[in-house]
Amino acid sequence: MVENFDEWFHDILENANITDSRYPIKGMAIWMPYGFQIRKHSMNIIKKLLDKDHEEVLFPMLVPESELAKEGIHVKGFEDEVYWVTKGGQRELNEQLALRPTSETAIYPMYSLWIRTHMDLPIKYYQIVNTFRYETKHTRPLIRVREITTFKEAHTAHSTKEESDEQIQDFIAIYKEFFDELGIPYLISKRPEWDKFPGADYTMAFDVIMPNGKTLQIGTIHNLGQTFAKTFDITFEDKDGEHKLVYQTCAGVSDRVIASVIGIHGDETGLRLPPKVSPNQVTIIPILFKKGKEEVLAKCAEIKAQLEETGLRVNIDDRDIRPGKKFHDWELKGTPLKLELGPRDLENNITVAMRRDEGKKIEIALDSSLSDNVIDLLNKTQENLSESAWNFQKSHVKFTERLDEIKDLVETGNVVKFHWCGDEAIGRDIEEKTGYDILGIQEEISEGECISGKGNAKYIALMAKTY
Amino acid sequence: MVENFDEWFHDILENANITDSRYPIKGMAIWMPYGFQIRKHSMNIIKKLLDKDHEEVLFPMLVPESELAKEGIHVKGFEDEVYWVTKGGQRELNEQLALRPTSETAIYPMYSLWIRTHMDLPIKYYQIVNTFRYETKHTRPLIRVREITTFKEAHTAHSTKEESDEQIQDFIAIYKEFFDELGIPYLISKRPEWDKFPGADYTMAFDVIMPNGKTLQIGTIHNLGQTFAKTFDITFEDKDGEHKLVYQTCAGVSDRVIASVIGIHGDETGLRLPPKVSPNQVTIIPILFKKGKEEVLAKCAEIKAQLEETGLRVNIDDRDIRPGKKFHDWELKGTPLKLELGPRDLENNITVAMRRDEGKKIEIALDSSLSDNVIDLLNKTQENLSESAWNFQKSHVKFTERLDEIKDLVETGNVVKFHWCGDEAIGRDIEEKTGYDILGIQEEISEGECISGKGNAKYIALMAKTY
């Protein structure tokens, strides 16, 4: 894990061709080609997981003020950070239009039209879109931005509360699988009442501990109950002929997922990308001398073709520069496996493979076993990155029974676990005394004393310095 | 081809689950699940074609007014239809921000930063994004909208004019291949001076004749010369050490591509989707009786698995409704091939295949040849749709030497070809006299008389009623 994470993160985004933050609007950056590919492969994973049981749709980006304002609690949560379109051409619009901060108020008026009977339920739609927040806090690329370029939001409607609770569990399972594929560890908790999504009954969240000890919220899942169903009049005729309100859920992940892939796995040398999302899974580096140059390049092309047949993403770096510079570049860019091939390797019918995560070199034979060996090395890389990340996280969650110990633990990069009674006033008091946020409730317990010293504990709570 | 095309088009979008236009902002619609899949497969084709030699990126959606206003001719072309964000939260912004109508002014300030020497050239980037136009004309879903949800825009920079002209030819070749894969015929022309892209040296355009005889612009390619390079100071140090301005091109396709796929191939019964973009390429319809139901369903699942192995997209319609209703639904939705399977077919080890384009039924054997036979039928469908569409178009382009014949030809659904001298005043006069638009110049010629009767012809021009 890197020292001085914030600086490292800022630099790597530019040096590895991920984003460029010099765009002339603060908090809005450009996805550069290499970063775009990481984003694409990451989104393909979540799409594939969702497509099993959800349908992709696409809603307009603008929301009329009258719709956004309908749900009072919801709009309160967003009104300070909504961008407003007030003019079309030279003319003032009759009604100002919000750049969606999230799409509940764009989608649910349509659910009201689409849902007629229990036969229309459940609806399980999702979209991947850009959303906007007029952030007043300090912005950071991919972490706190004004245009969230990659907001995956799912919105479901159900006929019973039970089904909506099951849907929450389904989303949890999907997100677990998603983050597992990225090798990203997570802490799952139920957000405290005062930190749930505006309008939700309850919010489940995924957080990851970044190398600097701060937690980053990387996924949220909300049971909306019937709040929006009442506001937007989303009703259905049940089997018994009765008209009832639907139960709803929504769930989101954003650009922050990419921030965590970069931040969690990276080291002082650069990125270490999990093979599943790396733009190139294998980079072939020819070692060229005047003599035998053509043969080496021909063999590299052959290896590339052989590996691509199994679906691997492979590139050859045949730039006319020193091999050492090429190694450095691909270490910076985090390609999981490098294959080096020079004239002597060609003679010996071998290639020298180097895993990015470990840095050790091993020789592998250039025969029909090559693809299997490469896939094996990639799988081991994927597992090792994931395991290291989980180990780091596990070693940075510390339990304490003493309020006065929290500060030290958090300031040395830990998330703190403690017993809590669940009372809001006491929770807020703990937050105030320590200066940190309660992430949420990790589990229910039946014994123990609240860390406040004011009664029995009901929960294990998590507390952290958050992004 | 359908009668009363506008009404048909409006209805099919809703009935086939493509878009829903009841969103509470005029000119902005929702992509429904089935439509979204058509859109996705269409975009996958253009992405694949571009990815060979271009890189995908993603720029912010908002453009500062100061950047948008920099290129005078360009901003003139768009200022009446730009949506403006003027407020963030409750506060007025210091500078108003445009919702991109197109991204030249978002991208080129960055090109100015990124391009230093001839080694940085060419740059060939593209993005697929949402763009916005405050349309004052009558809006139509997918054809004239206020949020273009699917704008593929490519932006290139080169060190020489020759290279930029070659890039125009490359884009033409890419678009040809793209439209060929969709079975969409096209007319390629060079837009007249008064209709080129604001800021461009010249504009090449792809138009298709829709069933009602109106042409729809489905792709444009612009040679920007050095106009924007001057405005945004995009220079490079050449091999000879001299600082020079780059030459630029850009090229775009939009939602209209999907409009043409739907409009061109559809018939009175519904959609007829080219296999390459159809959400389901094969729909299996089990014919179920109480007896033998399980066996038939098991065989359907087996067929599905067999076909999916070859990469085909297959669904089984096992809804508990009459088979006739299922047939009707999938004809409406345009699935290219239906396979019907009942107990008797199972006994005979055959399935009854029905192509959507022809409607004829043929029996095919349920053995190892099945996949090959299905792929063959899909290929024939693809070819037949394409050929029919090209035949329609060819029969609706008519040459005339008489100005007074144009009106009749256009009003009976044709695009008119005629000889033209190329003079702007005369061109505009022809437009005024006929009431139609000159699409552009199809080819140069060396003899013949201008249709105006006022001199020699230099070009064959195309004239049409346009969307």
Side-chain angles (χ1 to χ4, degrees):
Chain A
M1 299 286 165
V2 298
E3 303 280 320
N4 199 343
F5 176 72
D6 287 339
E7 194 182 310
W8 177 89
F9 187 72
H10 178 271
D11 291 346
I12 197 83
L13 293 182
E14 189 159 326
N15 296 337
N17 194 230
I18 293 166
T19 58
D20 193 320
S21 297
R22 292 173 292 171
Y23 191 76
I25 301 177
K26 201 186 114 175
M28 300 190 183
I30 296 130
W31 280 100
M32 299 300 286
Y34 196 73
F36 191 90
Q37 291 299 313
I38 301 173
R39 172 183 183 268
K40 183 173 88 173
H41 294 303
S42 303
M43 285 305 108
N44 282 346
I45 295 174
I46 186 79
K47 281 187 212 177
K48 208 171 160 187
L49 290 169
L50 285 167
D51 282 343
K52 287 177 196 166
D53 193 29
H54 301 73
E55 293 179 292
E56 195 168 358
V57 293
L58 185 57
F59 276 75
M61 196 273 287
L62 295 170
V63 184
E65 184 175 24
S66 53
E67 297 294 343
L68 190 76
K70 263 184 191 156
E71 213 307 292
I73 302 169
H74 182 73
V75 73
K76 269 245 160 304
F78 288 103
E79 65 189 353
D80 287 339
E81 43 184 52
V82 170
Y83 280 105
W84 291 103
V85 175
T86 62
K87 280 165 58 183
Q90 323 283 356
R91 292 157 58 180
E92 293 287 321
L93 299 177
N94 291 332
E95 180 177 19
Q96 57 182 12
L97 306 171
L99 307 199
R100 61 183 159 215
T102 170
S103 300
E104 286 72 18
T105 57
I107 295 176
Y108 301 163
M110 299 308 295
Y111 277 14
S112 171
L113 294 176
W114 294 334
I115 298 167
R116 291 272 154 267
T117 82
H118 63 96
M119 306 276 285
D120 301 321
L121 295 170
I123 284 191
K124 299 185 183 188
Y125 286 167
Y126 79 94
Q127 62 178 6
I128 301 178
V129 295
N130 52 348
T131 64
F132 297 81
R133 310 271 167 98
Y134 181 64
E135 280 288 350
T136 47
K137 293 186 198 167
H138 182 64
T139 61
R140 281 170 204 281
L142 302 185
I143 289 178
R144 188 172 299 283
V145 292
R146 288 179 163 185
E147 177 176 12
I148 300 166
T149 60
T150 321
F151 190 57
K152 188 290 299 164
E153 50 179 330
H155 296 268
T156 73
H158 308 268
S159 46
T160 66
K161 174 160 172 26
E162 292 65 42
E163 238 189 74
S164 75
D165 285 328
E166 277 163 31
Q167 180 68 34
I168 299 294
Q169 294 307 314
D170 287 349
F171 279 137
I172 290 175
I174 287 169
Y175 282 5
K176 276 184 173 176
E177 201 172 339
F178 178 44
F179 294 123
D180 286 346
E181 298 241 332
L182 302 172
I184 300 297
Y186 38 81
L187 295 161
I188 304 173
S189 68
K190 187 177 180 176
R191 287 275 181 264
E193 282 296 306
W194 60 92
D195 195 25
K196 65 188 190 184
F197 181 73
D201 276 8
Y202 64 90
T203 288
M204 302 299 299
F206 282 68
D207 296 281
V208 61
I209 308 177
M210 294 297 270
N212 59 3
K214 282 191 195 173
T215 58
L216 184 68
Q217 172 179 299
I218 48 172
T220 50
I221 301 166
H222 316 288
N223 193 317
L224 303 175
Q226 297 183 309
T227 307
F228 290 90
K230 281 176 203 150
T231 305
F232 291 100
D233 191 27
I234 314 176
T235 61
F236 67 101
E237 190 179 328
D238 209 351
K239 283 170 197 156
D240 52 22
E242 235 183 288
H243 285 267
K244 296 174 180 171
L245 291 166
V246 299
Y247 293 84
Q248 292 178 273
T249 83
C250 64
V253 296
S254 74
D255 297 324
R256 287 182 160 193
V257 170
I258 318 295
S260 69
V261 168
I262 291 164
I264 293 294
H265 299 306
D267 66 14
E268 294 292 350
T269 313
L271 298 177
R272 298 193 306 170
L273 291 175
K276 296 205 175 171
V277 298
S278 185
N280 308 299
Q281 296 168 315
V282 178
T283 295
I284 303 172
I285 299 179
I287 311 295
L288 301 173
F289 301 92
K290 266 185 196 156
K291 206 183 140 199
K293 186 176 169 178
E294 294 311 312
E295 289 79 0
V296 168
L297 283 173
K299 191 68 184 180
C300 288
E302 199 185 295
I303 295 171
K304 181 171 190 275
Q306 188 180 346
L307 295 175
E308 282 177 342
E309 245 173 52
T310 64
L312 290 172
R313 297 187 290 270
V314 185
N315 69 321
I316 300 173
D317 186 349
D318 56 6
R319 288 178 296 167
D320 189 17
I321 55 173
R322 285 183 304 105
K325 168 79 173 118
K326 294 184 190 182
F327 271 90
H328 173 269
D329 284 357
W330 294 109
E331 269 158 32
L332 177 71
K333 287 196 168 180
T335 204
L337 192 69
K338 291 187 290 294
L339 295 181
E340 180 188 322
L341 188 85
R344 204 171 307 162
D345 304 318
L346 191 55
E347 260 172 46
N348 298 330
N349 208 35
I350 56 127
T351 176
V352 180
M354 191 167 141
R355 272 167 59 178
R356 173 64 179 89
D357 59 326
E358 293 189 314
K360 271 183 284 185
K361 290 187 176 196
I362 61 161
E363 293 183 352
I364 51 179
L366 289 176
D367 57 21
S368 60
S369 69
L370 178 68
S371 294
D372 285 348
N373 285 327
V374 163
I375 289 168
D376 184 52
L377 290 170
L378 290 172
N379 288 341
K380 282 179 178 150
T381 303
Q382 180 88 28
E383 281 162 29
N384 180 41
L385 287 175
S386 175
E387 203 183 313
S388 309
W390 273 103
N391 286 341
F392 172 84
Q393 174 154 307
K394 281 176 194 156
S395 68
H396 286 82
V397 179
K398 304 271 169 65
F399 178 79
T400 183
E401 292 185 334
R402 289 172 48 189
L403 202 57
D404 61 3
E405 221 177 40
I406 289 180
K407 193 178 175 64
D408 264 4
L409 286 169
V410 172
E411 289 304 322
T412 50
N414 298 291
V415 168
V416 177
K417 273 185 173 190
F418 59 83
H419 289 168
W420 178 40
C421 59
D423 181 82
E424 177 161 347
I426 288 174
R428 286 180 178 273
D429 189 52
I430 295 169
E431 287 192 338
E432 202 166 307
K433 278 186 177 139
T434 56
Y436 308 113
D437 297 330
I438 293 183
L439 286 182
I441 292 163
Q442 201 176 34
E443 56 181 289
E444 292 193 27
I445 50 173
S446 54
E447 53 186 33
E449 199 191 345
C450 179
I451 197 167
S452 67
K454 294 173 188 164
N456 290 333
K458 277 193 193 160
Y459 307 109
I460 294 180
L462 297 172
M463 173 160 251
K465 195 186 270 190
T466 60
Y467 262 101
Chain B
M1 298 285 166
V2 298
E3 302 281 320
N4 199 343
F5 176 72
D6 287 340
E7 193 182 311
W8 177 90
F9 187 72
H10 179 271
D11 291 348
I12 197 82
L13 292 182
E14 188 159 328
N15 295 338
N17 194 231
I18 293 167
T19 59
D20 193 320
S21 297
R22 290 173 293 172
Y23 191 75
I25 301 177
K26 199 187 117 175
M28 301 189 184
I30 297 131
W31 279 100
M32 300 299 287
Y34 195 73
F36 190 89
Q37 292 298 313
I38 300 173
R39 173 184 183 268
K40 183 172 88 174
H41 294 302
S42 302
M43 286 304 109
N44 283 345
I45 294 174
I46 186 79
K47 282 188 211 177
K48 208 171 160 189
L49 290 170
L50 285 167
D51 283 344
K52 287 177 197 167
D53 193 30
H54 301 73
E55 294 180 289
E56 194 168 359
V57 294
L58 185 57
F59 276 76
M61 196 273 288
L62 295 171
V63 184
E65 184 177 24
S66 52
E67 298 293 343
L68 190 76
K70 264 186 191 154
E71 213 309 291
I73 301 169
H74 183 72
V75 71
K76 269 246 161 304
F78 288 104
E79 65 189 354
D80 287 340
E81 43 185 51
V82 170
Y83 281 105
W84 291 103
V85 175
T86 62
K87 282 165 58 183
Q90 323 283 353
R91 292 157 57 180
E92 292 287 321
L93 300 177
N94 292 332
E95 180 178 18
Q96 58 183 10
L97 306 170
L99 308 198
R100 60 183 160 216
T102 170
S103 299
E104 285 73 16
T105 58
I107 295 176
Y108 301 164
M110 300 308 295
Y111 276 13
S112 171
L113 294 176
W114 294 334
I115 298 168
R116 290 272 154 266
T117 82
H118 63 97
M119 305 277 285
D120 301 321
L121 295 170
I123 284 191
K124 300 185 183 189
Y125 287 167
Y126 79 94
Q127 62 178 5
I128 300 178
V129 296
N130 51 349
T131 64
F132 296 83
R133 309 270 168 100
Y134 181 62
E135 281 289 348
T136 47
K137 294 185 198 168
H138 182 63
T139 60
R140 281 169 204 281
L142 303 186
I143 289 179
R144 188 173 298 283
V145 293
R146 289 179 162 185
E147 177 177 13
I148 300 166
T149 60
T150 322
F151 190 56
K152 188 287 298 162
E153 49 179 332
H155 295 268
T156 73
H158 309 268
S159 46
T160 65
K161 173 159 172 27
E162 292 65 43
E163 238 189 72
S164 76
D165 284 329
E166 276 163 32
Q167 180 68 33
I168 300 294
Q169 294 308 314
D170 288 350
F171 279 138
I172 289 175
I174 288 168
Y175 282 5
K176 275 184 174 178
E177 200 171 339
F178 178 44
F179 295 124
D180 286 347
E181 298 240 334
L182 302 172
I184 299 298
Y186 38 81
L187 295 162
I188 303 174
S189 68
K190 188 175 179 178
R191 286 275 181 265
E193 280 297 304
W194 61 92
D195 195 26
K196 65 188 190 185
F197 182 72
D201 276 7
Y202 63 90
T203 288
M204 302 298 300
F206 282 67
D207 296 280
V208 61
I209 309 176
M210 295 295 272
N212 59 3
K214 282 191 195 173
T215 58
L216 185 68
Q217 172 181 298
I218 48 173
T220 51
I221 301 166
H222 316 289
N223 193 318
L224 303 176
Q226 297 184 309
T227 308
F228 290 90
K230 281 175 204 153
T231 306
F232 291 100
D233 190 27
I234 314 176
T235 61
F236 67 101
E237 189 180 327
D238 209 350
K239 283 169 196 159
D240 52 21
E242 236 184 286
H243 285 267
K244 297 176 180 168
L245 291 166
V246 299
Y247 293 84
Q248 293 179 273
T249 83
C250 64
V253 296
S254 73
D255 297 324
R256 286 183 162 194
V257 170
I258 319 296
S260 68
V261 167
I262 292 164
I264 293 294
H265 299 306
D267 66 13
E268 294 292 349
T269 314
L271 298 177
R272 298 194 306 172
L273 291 175
K276 296 206 175 170
V277 299
S278 185
N280 307 300
Q281 297 168 313
V282 179
T283 295
I284 303 172
I285 299 178
I287 312 294
L288 302 172
F289 300 93
K290 267 185 195 153
K291 205 181 145 205
K293 185 176 170 177
E294 294 311 311
E295 288 79 359
V296 168
L297 283 173
K299 190 68 185 179
C300 288
E302 200 185 293
I303 295 171
K304 181 171 190 276
Q306 188 180 346
L307 295 175
E308 281 177 341
E309 246 173 51
T310 64
L312 290 172
R313 298 187 290 270
V314 185
N315 69 322
I316 300 173
D317 185 350
D318 56 5
R319 289 178 296 168
D320 189 17
I321 55 173
R322 284 182 304 107
K325 168 82 173 116
K326 295 183 189 181
F327 271 90
H328 174 268
D329 285 357
W330 294 108
E331 270 158 32
L332 177 70
K333 287 195 168 180
T335 204
L337 192 69
K338 292 187 289 294
L339 295 180
E340 180 187 323
L341 188 86
R344 205 173 305 163
D345 303 317
L346 191 56
E347 260 171 46
N348 298 330
N349 207 37
I350 56 127
T351 175
V352 180
M354 190 166 140
R355 272 167 60 179
R356 173 64 179 89
D357 60 327
E358 294 190 313
K360 272 183 285 188
K361 292 187 173 192
I362 62 162
E363 294 184 352
I364 52 180
L366 291 175
D367 57 23
S368 60
S369 69
L370 177 69
S371 294
D372 285 346
N373 285 327
V374 162
I375 289 169
D376 184 52
L377 289 171
L378 290 172
N379 288 341
K380 283 182 177 148
T381 302
Q382 180 88 27
E383 282 161 30
N384 181 41
L385 287 175
S386 175
E387 203 183 312
S388 310
W390 273 104
N391 287 341
F392 173 83
Q393 174 154 307
K394 281 176 195 159
S395 68
H396 286 81
V397 180
K398 303 270 169 66
F399 179 78
T400 182
E401 293 185 335
R402 290 172 47 188
L403 202 56
D404 62 1
E405 220 178 44
I406 289 180
K407 193 179 173 66
D408 264 4
L409 287 169
V410 172
E411 289 304 321
T412 49
N414 298 291
V415 167
V416 176
K417 272 185 174 190
F418 59 84
H419 289 170
W420 179 39
C421 59
D423 180 82
E424 177 160 347
I426 289 174
R428 285 180 179 277
D429 188 52
I430 296 170
E431 287 192 339
E432 201 166 305
K433 278 187 178 139
T434 56
Y436 308 114
D437 297 330
I438 293 183
L439 286 181
I441 292 164
Q442 202 178 32
E443 56 181 289
E444 292 192 27
I445 50 172
S446 55
E447 55 186 34
E449 199 191 344
C450 178
I451 197 167
S452 66
K454 294 175 191 164
N456 290 333
K458 277 192 193 159
Y459 307 109
I460 293 180
L462 297 172
M463 174 159 252
K465 195 187 268 189
T466 61
Y467 262 100

